[in-house]
Amino acid sequence: MAERNEPSATIEALMNEQRTFTPPLEFANQANINSPSIYTEGEDFENFWAKQAESLLWRKKWTQTLDWSNAPFAKWFIDGKLNVTESCLDRHLADNGDKVAYYFVGEPGDERAVTYRQLYEEVCQLANGLDSLGVAKGDRVAIYMGMVVELPIALLACARIGATHSVVFGGFSSDALMDRINDAEAKVLITCDESWRNGGKIALKGYADAAIAEAPSIEHVVVVKRTGSEVPMKEGRDIYYHDLIKGQPKERAATETDSEDPLFILYTSGTTGKPKGIVHTTGGYLLGSSYTHKAVFDIKDNDVYWCTADIGWVTGHSYIVYGPLANGTTSVLYEGVPNYPDEDRYWEIIEKYKVTQLYTAPTAIRTFMKWGTEFPERHDLSSLKLIGTVGEPINPEAWIWYNKYIGGEKAPIVDTWWQTETGHIMISPLPGVTTTKPGSATIPLPGIGADVVDEEGNSVPFGGGGYLVLTHPWPGMLRTIFKDPQRFADTYYGRFSKPEENHWVYFAGDGAKRDNDGYYWLLGRVDDVMNVSGHRISTLEVESALVDHPDVAEAAVVGRNDPITGQAIAAFVTLKGHVVGTEQLIAQLRNHVAEKIGKIARPASIVFTDELPKTRSGKIMRRLLKDISEQRKLGDVTTLANADVVHDIAARAAASTTSQED
Ligand code: WTA
């Protein structure tokens, strides 16, 4: 394993988990997929995906399933023509126009049901509006919004005209938004006046204005009125969403796109300070997200499905927007936090809408555990047929709690492993087929190839651990990093591929073990990426935000284990000569990081130190800092140039343990 992120003691305990749960017979009998032969079928992965692709609406059928001749740059469904919105909207109108696409639940309590026809009409109106602003096929549109119905509408309106959307999570700061707009060279930004969050208002338009001041590519800003607060509108540049769509026709022909035209860019943290613009294309992505949505969540026509993610992350793209809409599913779209106005908000929503599938994050489950069972017990959750998790490893204790108190010991749990880059779920049970084990994402889905390899790239036999890799292309895979194909090839295909043998292996950045049954147990990142409440944050991003502060000389950041958030950000900072480390300065530095990146990246703890532990070649020894922040027995310090400093830091760190949560 790489030196920076070793499996912790908890993970070792996880491997001792022996309980198994076979799919209940009643569930298996009615499941969309209930024969294990699907796994054998998936071994011929090209034909498998070609067969599944019949489920999409193509304008022109493809002539070749996969072109891997220019590996690691894949093309799927060569010459296929489609517009994803025709699969997601148009084709449902005839029979299901009045079916609800989204039950919107606003945080303050306003609710609204949006049918497929209404969604279609408003997408067309906004597409016409974007046309009038000069957005054309191939242009980039940035989206920075709260979780309102206009958010999926914005994504789909871009897709309708063949523009590429780049959604930036509404919790990111102005600086983070600016970087992403500039990298994508977005022409238009769609935002909200404000968004509701935890009973308060987030000034999205204010942050957006600060970002655009340094983002010259933006020609227009479209503003959704959500809270109705007065916000500055710049004459000629800014227009309210409702004014833009007013009087626009409720039809807009879908622009034909190629299967390999870009659908969206989504920025994610990598191992450098600069976020990567992950590029997804059209046909393969829609196939992967819709197939896995139907298979993994066992979606039926009358279901009410709810994914609690934010559309600002990939989970929302694939499992709130594209997957569910392609399958004609009714979804809940909830705007706010789980504890507003009370800690039972999720359970109240599930009871009211008779939600059948819930898809949420382990960090949320651990928070619910902490709040106590009285909140779910206030409500009838018996409508839930299946429950799922994503974003980080789920500890067996949380899995068992989820099974008992939310799933009523009858709803299968799907623990789904995937990434922004993979576009859709890769490793997960099929709920009608696969026996589950608490804490394991089980095995790769049909049509997906995975392995666990050692440093040299050799497959590790069952029972051993190493690096998780994906062994062949899949439809929803990222195609490149925007404007940086070399970084794409190096990051994902540089480590274990053998180009001279035409052998291409995707390195996921995660460590994994496989037990004797071949089940995958995810061990977290092995690179410099932290996972805080399921959000990917790079240590380098936080370090550069800290060093950006005038008082800071040097900073090192590590992710330490945290019982609720998975990892918490621990920072070690050396100050410039004259500066004294005070409580106020800690608060200032945390704010500074929030301004540079967003609140999610604020360190949970900051320890001032006169020196950082370094090797003789000057490399900061982060593993040691991780040991210190997790208060483990210190690892080997003999290679340190400055061994004394470690004990000094350890003493200070012990005095400063806070939690990531606030
Ligand atoms: C982690 C989120 C264990 C993993 C869809 C991965 C998981 C990163 C799981 C991707 C899971 C996601 N079990 N770890 N079920 N799901 N991860 O890009 O480290 O935000 O590499 O995509 O989250 O995070 P991303």
Side-chain angles (χ1 to χ4, degrees):
M1 305 291 291
E3 73 134 34
R4 285 188 59 172
N5 253 331
E6 285 185 316
S8 65
T10 10
I11 299 290
E12 290 302 328
L14 190 142
M15 291 303 297
N16 294 325
E17 178 59 46
Q18 300 289 339
R19 285 169 283 197
T20 58
F21 294 75
T22 45
L25 201 58
E26 216 180 306
F27 187 95
N29 284 340
Q30 60 83 58
N32 291 338
I33 298 175
N34 48 21
S35 165
S37 64
I38 187 99
Y39 288 110
T40 327
E41 220 185 293
E43 283 167 17
D44 179 3
F45 73 95
E46 285 191 47
N47 279 325
F48 175 82
W49 288 116
K51 189 176 143 199
Q52 306 306 334
E54 302 291 340
S55 69
L56 302 182
L57 190 62
W58 295 88
R59 284 200 180 175
K60 177 175 171 284
K61 203 180 157 174
W62 65 94
T63 52
Q64 186 187 338
T65 309
L66 168 67
D67 179 0
W68 192 227
S69 59
N70 189 30
F73 300 92
K75 287 186 177 157
W76 281 85
F77 307 114
I78 317 307
D79 295 330
K81 306 286 177 197
L82 76 167
N83 181 293
V84 295
T85 64
E86 291 185 328
S87 284
C88 292
L89 300 169
D90 305 51
R91 66 166 162 175
H92 305 312
L93 296 182
D95 296 331
N96 283 316
D98 295 330
K99 182 172 178 179
V100 172
Y102 292 115
Y103 284 115
F104 170 71
V105 181
E107 196 189 70
D110 54 324
E111 300 186 10
R112 171 182 165 205
V114 182
T115 65
Y116 271 92
R117 176 166 304 283
Q118 289 166 333
L119 192 66
Y120 167 84
E121 290 180 347
E122 204 165 313
V123 166
C124 287
Q125 286 187 298
L126 181 58
N128 285 318
L130 292 175
D131 286 338
S132 75
L133 298 180
V135 180
K137 185 176 173 183
D139 286 344
R140 270 82 58 207
V141 174
I143 299 176
Y144 180 65
M145 295 171 68
M147 283 280 285
V148 288
V149 175
E150 291 80 0
L151 175 53
I153 291 173
L155 273 69
L156 294 161
C158 291
R160 190 84 181 164
I161 63 186
T164 306
H165 57 72
S166 167
V167 183
V168 180
F169 172 58
F172 276 123
S173 69
S174 300
D175 277 17
L177 175 62
M178 175 196 70
D179 286 345
R180 287 158 176 76
I181 292 175
N182 284 335
D183 189 75
E185 297 165 78
K187 206 166 170 178
V188 165
L189 171 67
I190 308 178
T191 187
C192 298
D193 51 1
E194 296 173 319
S195 67
W196 288 110
R197 189 139 193 97
N198 213 359
K201 297 172 179 175
I202 308 279
L204 290 177
K205 177 62 162 61
Y207 294 133
D209 282 338
I212 301 162
E214 292 171 75
S217 61
I218 294 290
E219 294 169 13
H220 291 285
V221 181
V222 179
V223 183
V224 173
K225 231 182 204 186
R226 172 56 181 143
T227 65
S229 299
E230 204 55 45
V231 293
M233 296 289 283
K234 188 169 167 189
E235 183 76 40
R237 186 195 69 181
D238 301 354
I239 180 166
Y240 274 112
Y241 175 98
H242 59 265
D243 289 331
L244 180 64
I245 68 168
K246 195 159 52 191
Q248 293 289 357
K250 293 176 176 174
E251 297 283 342
R252 199 277 185 197
T255 299
E256 186 169 285
T257 56
D258 186 88
S259 178
E260 282 301 334
D261 280 340
L263 177 62
F264 66 86
I265 303 171
L266 185 57
Y267 288 85
T268 190
S269 293
T271 51
T272 72
K274 190 176 170 331
K276 305 177 279 198
I278 303 300
V279 177
H280 282 287
T281 58
T282 304
Y285 170 79
L286 189 66
L287 171 64
S289 55
S290 60
Y291 172 79
T292 53
H293 177 251
K294 194 163 199 152
V296 172
F297 302 107
D298 197 47
I299 296 295
K300 300 286 182 353
D301 280 348
N302 295 323
D303 285 345
V304 180
Y305 154 91
W306 183 19
C307 166
T308 69
D310 192 292
I311 294 175
W313 307 111
V314 74
T315 307
H317 282 62
S318 302
Y319 298 109
I320 299 179
V321 184
Y322 293 109
L325 294 177
N327 291 327
T329 306
T330 297
S331 295
V332 168
L333 182 71
Y334 173 53
E335 180 180 34
V337 299
N339 54 342
Y340 184 88
D342 206 351
E343 276 80 2
D344 67 343
R345 188 70 188 265
Y346 276 19
W347 321 125
E348 177 193 295
I349 292 172
I350 289 171
E351 180 172 34
K352 173 159 184 188
Y353 288 98
K354 301 201 166 38
V355 171
T356 44
Q357 291 94 348
L358 174 70
Y359 190 29
T360 194
T363 189
I365 297 165
R366 290 191 295 264
T367 306
F368 299 140
M369 287 172 73
K370 193 179 77 180
W371 289 341
T373 55
E374 62 180 281
F375 298 103
E377 278 164 1
R378 278 186 203 165
H379 298 278
D380 177 7
L381 306 181
S382 61
S383 56
L384 286 172
K385 297 191 295 189
L386 173 144
I387 54 183
T389 74
V390 61
E392 45 177 328
I394 179 164
N395 45 313
E397 193 196 354
W399 196 103
I400 295 289
W401 188 94
Y402 196 34
N403 172 57
K404 182 165 179 189
Y405 294 102
I406 309 304
E409 291 179 317
K410 69 170 174 53
I413 294 183
V414 288
D415 171 0
T416 63
W417 178 88
W418 60 295
Q419 309 177 294
T420 305
E421 291 87 340
T422 69
H424 50 81
I425 299 170
M426 305 294 283
I427 302 181
S428 159
L430 286 170
V433 178
T434 319
T435 294
T436 56
K437 304 183 186 186
S440 168
T442 74
I443 55 175
L445 288 176
I448 301 300
D451 199 357
V452 172
V453 299
D454 63 17
E455 292 285 347
E456 277 74 51
N458 302 313
S459 184
V460 174
F462 286 1
Y467 301 99
L468 177 64
V469 297
L470 300 167
T471 51
H472 60 68
W474 63 98
M477 66 193 287
L478 78 163
R479 298 305 194 260
T480 189
I481 292 175
F482 191 59
K483 296 199 291 201
D484 206 347
Q486 193 59 47
R487 188 175 176 199
F488 159 77
D490 294 345
T491 308
Y492 303 106
Y493 286 94
R495 179 107 186 231
F496 296 114
S497 302
K498 297 192 183 89
E500 60 292 351
E501 292 168 28
N502 202 20
H503 177 69
W504 298 95
V505 174
Y506 172 95
F507 173 43
D510 281 21
K513 272 194 178 181
R514 256 182 321 198
D515 66 17
N516 292 328
D517 299 327
Y519 274 49
Y520 288 72
W521 299 77
L522 277 303
L523 304 178
R525 304 287 307 190
V526 293
D527 54 15
D528 300 337
V529 177
M530 299 173 286
N531 189 330
V532 180
S533 297
H535 303 320
R536 276 168 71 168
I537 301 165
S538 108
T539 53
L540 261 113
E541 269 175 287
V542 182
E543 285 168 6
S544 38
L546 286 166
V547 173
D548 180 76
H549 189 280
D551 291 344
V552 174
E554 204 173 19
V557 164
V558 297
R560 67 165 149 81
N561 288 328
D562 182 278
I564 302 288
T565 57
Q567 285 191 312
I569 304 174
F572 298 85
V573 168
T574 61
L575 297 169
K576 289 188 179 153
H578 58 282
V579 185
V580 183
T582 58
E583 285 294 323
Q584 286 91 317
L585 186 56
I586 290 182
Q588 259 186 39
L589 292 180
R590 293 184 78 228
N591 277 338
H592 192 72
V593 176
E595 271 166 32
K596 286 270 134 196
I597 308 173
K599 281 185 182 168
I600 51 166
R602 274 185 312 193
S605 59
I606 296 180
V607 172
F608 295 121
T609 167
D610 297 338
E611 262 180 284
L612 291 169
K614 290 187 185 159
T615 59
R616 294 207 178 88
S617 61
K619 269 180 69 180
I620 297 174
M621 297 186 75
R622 290 188 176 79
R623 188 177 56 179
L624 217 61
L625 292 172
K626 204 167 147 67
D627 284 345
I628 290 173
S629 51
E630 291 173 358
Q631 297 171 16
R632 272 201 296 271
K633 201 165 159 294
L634 295 182
D636 185 12
V637 290
T638 51
T639 54
L640 263 184
N642 44 357
D644 287 349
V645 70
V646 173
H647 299 286
D648 181 46
I649 301 176
R652 293 173 193 227
S656 78
T657 323
T658 51
S659 157
Q660 184 73 52
E661 277 177 284
D662 57 320

